[in-house]
Amino acid sequence: MQIILFGKIIETWKKNLTALCISQFFYRAGTRSLIPFLPLFIQDLGKTTPESTAIWSGWIFAAPFIISFFTTPFWGSFGDKYGRKLMTILAVFGFAAAQFLMGLSANLTQLILFASLQEAMGGFYPAAVSLTASNTPKEKTAQALGILQFANGSGNVVGPILGGILADLVGLREVFFLIAVTVGLSGFLIVFFIDEKNFTREDHNYYFLTKNWRYVFDNKKLIICMLFLLIYSLAVTVVRPTFSLFIKSMNFTLNNSSTVTGILLGVFGGTSALASALVGKLTVKRKINSILLFASIIVTATYFLLSFVSSVSFLIIVLAVGGFGLGLIQPLVFTLVSHNTDDNRKAGVFGVGSSFQVIGNLFGSVSAGYIVSEFGLRFPFVAAGLLFFLVIFIVLFGLKKNL
């Protein structure tokens, strides 16, 4: 299907992808804008010590994933029955509402309660991935998912920088309200500009949650992909909740630690977005397992080096290289999932994949606070490095045999 815009013919999947990417950018920028200042907000709200702040940060970052572990597979099956567009709309507006409520929090109990609602309507990114994969020609899937991940990565760049600056300029609580309004407005792009192709409820099969899980576990290729998503999420989130505390502890950050943290995370997200934009071209020239091996080695080395960093220049270089490696991994794994899943089951299977990510996000976020309280602010980087070292072996011995 095609549309004509300014005298040019534009395929429907490209129009859909454009609208999704814009909305995904604002959504991801909103989620990542919290990272530089959320631990500081927790300290102000609860008058906590640094150690208890680390633990509270871990639980508040984990709260949405606890809820989404139960809800995301349901919303994936819901999308297979009622449409992925509706699933995506519910996810984006549900997130915006949760952000507004977080801004109204009067204590830490309310904050963790409202934070848990962020993913109650299903995560926006897995919904967007499912919608993209099911409405894109197979030969263009890697390219489309790479572009979507680029939008996601661009949000990773802008979000922390903007969040850190706004937190220092207008106040911590006000940032939540700004996120809610911005993400909510971006959701209207999905409502008015996305056409879901080849979906009618009457002749579309609906698969229950248990059948989707059985479908995944009956496919060795999908099991390996799910294991990838689990380890990836666990490694990334074990670092995230306490990163701003780590930066604040460094001697080179004397003032405006939220802004400095945001800029550093922006560097990390920028190279990640660049890598994601190159995925489509790389898969034409190289096999997916070769690219994953390359990326896994880079990320493993990066996390180990971060545990020794002592200067801001070295920190920027390592973050830039590590971000590039991470930016390659996720769109490649999602491409493998899409290629090994029947078209009429993609939303449900991506929902299962999101559950594996949720498990990783949950345990990574919760364990981060306890790791820091026991071993210090540098040890989460060591833990992440060990996890990606495991990924190298999975690529070498799992992918070669099964993918």
Side-chain angles (χ1 to χ4, degrees):
M1 184 176 179
Q2 300 174 332
I3 64 169
I4 299 177
L5 183 65
F6 301 120
K8 294 183 178 180
I9 297 177
I10 300 177
E11 295 178 88
T12 299
W13 73 269
K14 292 182 179 180
K15 176 180 70 73
N16 290 349
L17 182 62
T18 300
L20 266 178
C21 284
I22 295 172
S23 188
Q24 174 64 37
F25 168 79
F26 285 107
Y27 166 81
R28 184 55 65 202
T31 62
R32 293 299 180 258
S33 65
L34 302 180
I35 298 176
F37 73 88
L38 186 57
L40 308 179
F41 182 65
I42 291 169
Q43 279 186 321
D44 289 345
L45 194 62
K47 307 302 180 184
T48 56
T49 63
E51 291 75 18
S52 61
T53 297
I55 294 173
W56 270 103
S57 295
W59 277 105
I60 289 173
F61 273 101
F65 305 123
I66 296 174
I67 299 298
S68 63
F69 175 75
F70 299 100
T71 60
T72 300
F74 166 78
W75 288 113
S77 295
F78 177 91
D80 282 330
K81 183 177 182 180
Y82 295 104
R84 288 89 181 198
K85 177 179 177 179
L86 179 58
M87 179 177 68
T88 309
I89 291 170
L90 292 173
V92 69
F93 286 114
F95 174 82
Q99 289 296 307
F100 187 83
L101 291 172
M102 288 175 70
L104 298 176
S105 300
N107 52 56
L108 292 177
T109 302
Q110 290 183 7
L111 182 62
I112 198 170
L113 174 63
F114 296 143
S116 67
L117 299 177
Q118 292 180 85
E119 305 287 325
M121 303 300 288
F124 179 69
Y125 184 66
V129 168
S130 174
L131 183 58
T132 300
S134 60
N135 285 274
T136 302
K138 185 174 182 178
E139 67 275 10
K140 300 291 185 179
T141 301
Q143 177 187 349
L145 291 176
I147 293 172
L148 183 65
Q149 179 64 18
F150 175 76
N152 189 67
S154 299
N156 285 334
V157 177
V158 175
I161 297 173
L162 194 59
I165 293 173
L166 288 174
D168 287 328
L169 289 179
V170 303
L172 306 180
R173 192 178 295 272
E174 287 74 13
V175 180
F176 291 104
F177 301 130
L178 290 172
I179 294 171
V181 172
T182 304
V183 175
L185 290 174
S186 74
F188 287 103
L189 289 173
I190 301 171
V191 175
F192 296 112
F193 292 100
I194 288 183
D195 296 318
E196 189 164 10
K197 188 179 69 171
N198 297 329
F199 182 90
T200 56
R201 181 180 174 182
E202 294 76 23
D203 58 13
H204 202 83
N205 293 322
Y206 175 71
Y207 296 99
F208 291 103
L209 304 183
T210 54
K211 291 185 178 180
N212 287 327
W213 280 84
R214 191 179 301 117
Y215 179 85
V216 169
F217 280 97
D218 285 341
N219 188 322
K220 291 182 179 180
K221 297 176 182 180
L222 289 179
I223 291 175
I224 292 175
C225 291
M226 300 304 161
L227 185 59
F228 259 111
L229 294 175
L230 173 65
I231 296 175
Y232 175 92
S233 301
L234 180 60
V236 170
T237 53
V238 79
V239 172
R240 185 179 298 157
T242 57
F243 186 77
S244 62
L245 298 177
F246 168 73
I247 297 300
K248 189 176 181 180
S249 71
M250 303 297 287
N251 293 329
F252 52 78
T253 55
L254 301 177
N255 298 304
N256 299 326
S257 59
S258 293
T259 300
V260 173
T261 303
I263 292 172
L264 291 173
L265 288 172
V267 171
F268 184 81
T271 55
S272 178
L274 175 62
S276 299
L278 296 175
V279 164
K281 293 182 178 180
L282 290 174
T283 54
V284 174
K285 300 179 180 180
R286 297 284 186 273
K287 292 182 178 180
I288 289 180
N289 59 337
S290 299
I291 304 172
L292 279 174
L293 179 61
F294 169 74
S296 300
I297 293 172
I298 287 179
V299 175
T300 300
T302 294
Y303 276 119
F304 282 132
L305 288 172
L306 283 172
S307 65
F308 298 104
V309 67
S310 59
S311 68
V312 65
S313 57
F314 183 56
L315 178 60
I316 291 172
I317 293 172
V318 174
L319 285 173
V321 174
F324 187 87
L326 277 177
L328 293 173
I329 294 175
Q330 193 161 257
L332 290 173
V333 177
F334 281 137
T335 299
L336 290 175
V337 173
S338 179
H339 285 175
N340 290 281
T341 304
D342 296 334
D343 288 341
N344 59 346
R345 306 195 73 139
K346 286 187 177 180
V349 171
F350 276 114
V352 175
S354 295
S355 291
F356 278 85
Q357 288 185 289
V358 165
I359 295 171
N361 289 332
L362 172 58
F363 284 100
S365 298
V366 171
S367 62
Y370 294 100
I371 288 174
V372 167
S373 64
E374 290 292 329
F375 302 105
L377 288 165
R378 293 180 180 270
F379 199 80
F381 298 114
V382 177
L386 291 172
L387 287 167
F388 272 106
F389 187 69
L390 176 62
V391 168
I392 294 175
F393 285 92
I394 296 175
V395 175
L396 287 173
F397 301 106
L399 290 185
K400 183 178 180 180
K401 186 178 296 185
N402 293 294
L403 292 176

